[in-house]
Amino acid sequence: METVPAILVGLFFAVSVYLMLSKQLVRMMLGIAILGNAVNMSIFVNGRLTREVPPVIPEGLLVPTEVTANPLPQALVLTAIVISFSFFAFLLVLAFRAYQEVGTDDVNDMRVAEPENDPLPPQGY
């Protein structure tokens, strides 16, 4: 049952690495977003994908009577979703501002700190 989600996580990682190696900022940002989803799915799959009862202990008992779901991966994934969304929003604003300043979304054309006409730095001393 967990082989299909594991293959999907691997596919998400492969697609995200491919997109992050691109020269366009939009593709890089999509790769980062997909990487966050791949990590979240990986944590969720490692927490076992079973349909179990919620982790509620009945009144008068110290431990649950039957197998319950693990709430830790769910809490970690929920926190990671919030953090990755805020990180993606920050990257979106940063990329938009860089596009406004430079006028392109190609990373090789954004070399403002290293203009093409300047001489190379000294190679040795």
Side-chain angles (χ1 to χ4, degrees):
M1 177 178 160
E2 293 178 357
T3 54
V4 174
I7 291 171
L8 189 62
V9 166
L11 184 68
F12 273 21
F13 273 115
V15 168
S16 67
V17 168
Y18 175 76
L19 287 174
M20 285 191 297
L21 292 175
S22 177
K23 293 180 181 180
Q24 275 76 29
L25 280 178
V26 175
R27 288 184 182 175
M28 290 172 133
M29 291 187 334
L30 286 175
I32 291 171
I34 292 173
L35 179 68
N37 289 335
V39 169
N40 291 342
M41 282 185 63
S42 174
I43 292 171
F44 197 68
V45 168
N46 286 331
R48 284 178 268 137
L49 293 175
T50 56
R51 294 182 180 208
E52 298 170 351
V53 297
V56 177
I57 300 175
E59 188 176 337
L61 295 176
L62 297 176
V63 294
T65 56
E66 51 192 20
V67 179
T68 60
N70 189 1
L72 183 62
Q74 297 172 9
L76 288 174
V77 167
L78 186 61
T79 305
I81 288 171
V82 172
I83 292 171
S84 65
F85 178 74
S86 62
F87 182 64
F88 184 70
F90 172 73
L91 283 181
L92 188 65
V93 170
L94 187 66
F96 182 69
R97 186 72 179 128
Y99 177 76
Q100 283 181 336
E101 286 292 320
V102 181
T104 183
D105 70 338
D106 191 3
V107 176
N108 289 339
D109 294 340
M110 289 185 161
R111 300 181 71 168
V112 177
E114 302 172 5
E116 294 178 9
N117 299 333
D118 281 358
L120 292 174
Q123 300 296 323
Y125 295 101

